Amino acid sequence: MQSENKTVVYELEASEFDWQLRPGKTVKAWGFNKQVPGPQLNARKGDTLVVKVKNSLNEPTIVHWHGIRLPAAMDGTGETQKPILPGETYEYRFVVPDSGTFWYHSHYNETLQMERGMYGGIVVAGKDDPTVDAERLLLIDDMRLTDTDDHEERNKLGKWIERHDGREGNTRLINGKEVSTFHMHAGQTERWRMVNAASARYFLLNLGGKPFKVIGTDGGLLERPIEKTELLITPGERYDILVGPFNEGDNIAIENLGYNRTTFLKPRRETYAQLHVGTEKDTKLTVPARLCEIPRLATATAVANRSVKLSVAPSLKNILDFHVNGQTHCNDQPVKVGDLQVWEVSNTSLMDHPFHLHGFFFQVIEENGKVPEYLAWKDTYNLKPKTKIKIAWIADDRPGKWMYHCHILEHHAAGMMAHFEVVRPGQQPMRHTDHNCGSHSNAHPHKTKNLKTMTANM
Ligand code: C2O
Ligand code: CU
């Protein structure tokens, strides 16, 4: 049989440009092809995606393909490639092995480049996708702007708050627009692919209290649709939901109910867009009761073979440091291709952190002693304060340098991240570093022992 896989080629140019958030409000944005978000990249499962990234900014950049199981060399981090310098073009080329909703974003000077708009969505279609009346890709974001629509330079206190909370903007965006109105037909059901592209803002989705169905998340379809009226989408996460059918004349606010993640700035209920429901139309909706099969990697009782501890500690130099296993930017132990990984990931701090693993999907098999509501492939998962989860995953044969980190960009930048290598059995790690944050090592006890007790307040 002839393969139906194609090669899909895109060109993205990173540059600075004027971007209209709404009539009368224009900002200096940084982004791809002069739009925020950048162009939606479309492919079918199994296709080869070729993306030529030209850097027309005045500073280097790198593009990361969040959620795609690609070879390490294509992951788009400072570990796997040299930054793309101003004026240079770099070609990414990889197969997209999974259907689902993914996204790309800058992985260089992220707290600034992503804040200004350097991200976009990727939709990979699959044979098992349910038939819906329409699809929409919705990228949620915010920007912090001054009264004169400039990106805000924070003062010392502002910077300190930002380091702790992550940057939350005062301009709320869906697909780069501040006020949007979406139209859909009564009687129809749409698939909305939601991506939280914000630096730090959590999004607790509500559609006027009307129920919707979650059908997919980071790594593709769930086994069966799950009905919800509220859905928390944390930075980096994706959720695919079925929305509708509604009645003609319905006017529904697309809202963030506000989620308290224990920041200095208090969360508020806020509207992002309006949905207007027009004339009735026929539907072609077909959603099987069983969407797909997710093989369970391990049961909740599986014994963890690694622990990853996320914590926040006072620091003499930076006031606050964000740690993985007591270290900033640490080096974790290698992972062997084919070995079942059962990691206990804990959050000992008093604030939430969305944990993101590059390049691989995991299953959350236990959370605070309980089995999660449903099985799913995830690459980003929110850890509430004082929470422990167990995740299971297996590295397929893609050796190289990978990382995991908190997807609150300011926390990532402040050190809440770890590098690790995937190695083939019998292969030596490329780098003979001291694995300073490995779970079996007690090296480098934290220097400021007595300060540590203060972390109770962080
Ligand atoms: Cu979406 Cu390393 O990140
Ligand atoms: Cu964090």
Side-chain angles (χ1 to χ4, degrees):
M1 211 178 80
Q2 240 206 323
S3 145
E4 23 175 73
N5 294 338
K6 295 194 180 68
T7 298
V8 190
V9 183
Y10 285 97
E11 284 174 20
L12 295 180
E13 182 180 8
S15 68
E16 183 183 75
F17 51 92
D18 290 327
W19 178 250
Q20 201 186 65
L21 301 173
R22 66 171 148 87
K25 187 167 176 179
T26 298
V27 291
K28 281 264 172 278
W30 293 11
F32 298 102
N33 299 8
K34 297 197 163 40
Q35 58 185 85
V36 178
Q40 175 179 334
L41 310 185
N42 297 296
R44 294 196 67 82
K45 176 176 164 154
D47 285 352
T48 298
L49 200 56
V50 177
V51 191
K52 298 175 186 171
V53 178
K54 175 162 190 216
N55 183 7
S56 299
L57 293 167
N58 287 324
E59 64 175 47
T61 193
I62 295 180
V63 182
H64 169 56
W65 313 92
H66 183 131
I68 305 218
R69 292 191 302 134
L70 35 62
M74 289 291 126
D75 194 37
T77 71
E79 280 290 282
T80 59
Q81 71 171 94
K82 289 208 190 75
I84 311 167
L85 299 177
E88 281 184 0
T89 298
Y90 188 86
E91 184 180 296
Y92 294 93
R93 175 184 290 266
F94 47 85
V95 170
V96 287
D98 304 292
S99 56
T101 305
F102 309 99
W103 62 304
Y104 58 95
H105 63 76
S106 154
H107 214 280
Y108 186 96
N109 196 8
E110 280 167 68
T111 51
L112 191 140
Q113 295 193 358
M114 281 182 70
E115 166 76 1
R116 304 239 161 144
M118 291 185 61
Y119 62 86
I122 306 172
V123 171
V124 182
K127 285 203 185 75
D128 306 330
D129 281 330
T131 307
V132 292
D133 296 309
E135 281 202 16
R136 273 174 221 271
L137 175 66
L138 303 176
L139 293 109
I140 300 156
D141 189 17
D142 58 6
M143 280 184 187
R144 184 159 192 102
L145 302 174
T146 61
D147 296 343
T148 50
D149 302 334
D150 292 314
H151 294 278
E152 194 178 7
E153 258 308 319
R154 307 303 305 274
N155 60 18
K156 234 180 157 189
L157 175 66
K159 281 204 178 109
W160 194 82
I161 291 177
E162 235 165 53
R163 188 174 170 94
H164 181 276
D165 287 7
R167 181 186 293 144
E168 291 206 14
N170 46 7
T171 302
R172 305 182 297 274
L173 307 174
I174 291 192
N175 292 348
K177 295 290 174 186
E178 213 178 350
V179 211
S180 334
T181 308
F182 301 124
H183 298 272
M184 74 183 264
H185 287 287
Q188 293 203 324
T189 299
E190 299 189 351
R191 177 179 185 166
W192 291 8
R193 299 170 179 266
M194 316 275 306
V195 181
N196 187 340
S199 304
R201 194 187 222 85
Y202 280 36
F203 190 87
L204 184 54
L205 174 70
N206 179 263
L207 299 172
K210 300 198 189 286
F212 52 84
K213 290 191 177 113
V214 181
I215 57 164
T217 183
D218 307 344
L221 294 172
L222 301 182
E223 292 190 309
R224 60 195 161 82
I226 311 273
E227 193 168 286
K228 296 270 176 199
T229 52
E230 283 174 18
L231 181 67
L232 181 65
I233 311 173
T234 68
E237 278 191 300
R238 285 87 66 212
Y239 279 100
D240 287 18
I241 60 174
L242 293 180
V243 174
F246 301 121
N247 298 316
E248 186 171 343
D250 279 353
N251 253 319
I252 298 162
I254 302 173
E255 278 184 307
N256 174 6
L257 291 179
Y259 171 86
N260 184 5
R261 58 184 181 90
T262 337
T263 46
F264 291 121
L265 302 175
K266 288 301 156 234
R268 270 181 301 157
R269 182 171 183 152
E270 43 204 16
T271 299
Y272 276 65
Q274 290 288 335
L275 175 65
H276 286 311
V277 183
T279 50
E280 178 106 19
K281 271 208 168 166
D282 287 346
T283 181
K284 50 176 194 219
L285 182 76
T286 0
V287 185
R290 189 123 190 122
L291 293 164
C292 75
E293 200 76 47
I294 299 180
R296 178 177 276 283
L297 295 180
T299 60
T301 55
V303 178
N305 45 33
R306 180 175 304 206
S307 62
V308 172
K309 191 178 93 185
L310 311 178
S311 65
V312 180
S315 127
L316 294 176
K317 196 165 129 243
N318 305 312
I319 306 181
L320 278 185
D321 273 337
F322 287 77
H323 287 165
V324 169
N325 288 347
Q327 296 288 313
T328 54
H329 306 275
C330 75
N331 291 310
D332 203 349
Q333 314 274 343
V335 162
K336 231 183 242 135
V337 168
D339 281 2
L340 175 68
Q341 300 298 314
V342 179
W343 292 8
E344 181 189 270
V345 186
S346 59
N347 173 11
T348 62
S349 75
L350 292 180
M351 59 195 301
D352 291 59
H353 302 285
F355 170 85
H356 170 46
L357 174 65
H358 274 223
F360 302 89
F361 297 121
F362 56 81
Q363 297 175 354
V364 178
I365 55 174
E366 192 207 290
E367 177 160 4
N368 292 332
K370 294 203 191 77
V371 180
E373 183 188 357
Y374 54 87
L375 192 61
W377 289 116
K378 295 288 291 170
D379 58 50
T380 309
Y381 192 84
N382 186 54
L383 278 100
K384 295 192 168 75
K386 304 287 170 197
T387 285
K388 252 187 206 159
I389 61 172
K390 244 192 281 171
I391 63 170
W393 65 283
I394 298 174
D396 54 318
D397 190 24
R398 286 174 297 126
K401 292 176 178 174
W402 299 96
M403 62 171 69
Y404 57 82
H405 60 81
C406 172
H407 218 288
I408 290 175
L409 305 182
E410 289 72 18
H411 293 178
H412 178 193
M416 194 176 267
M417 64 96 62
H419 305 278
F420 68 95
E421 239 177 277
V422 168
V423 294
R424 291 186 167 135
Q427 182 199 343
Q428 285 305 307
M430 281 182 262
R431 200 173 33 187
H432 295 273
T433 40
D434 181 10
H435 294 115
N436 61 13
C437 82
S439 48
H440 308 294
S441 135
N442 297 318
H444 306 283
H446 198 260
K447 315 168 209 102
T448 48
K449 257 259 153 76
N450 48 352
L451 279 177
K452 239 183 164 176
T453 49
M454 282 166 60
T455 55
N457 305 316
M458 311 264 150

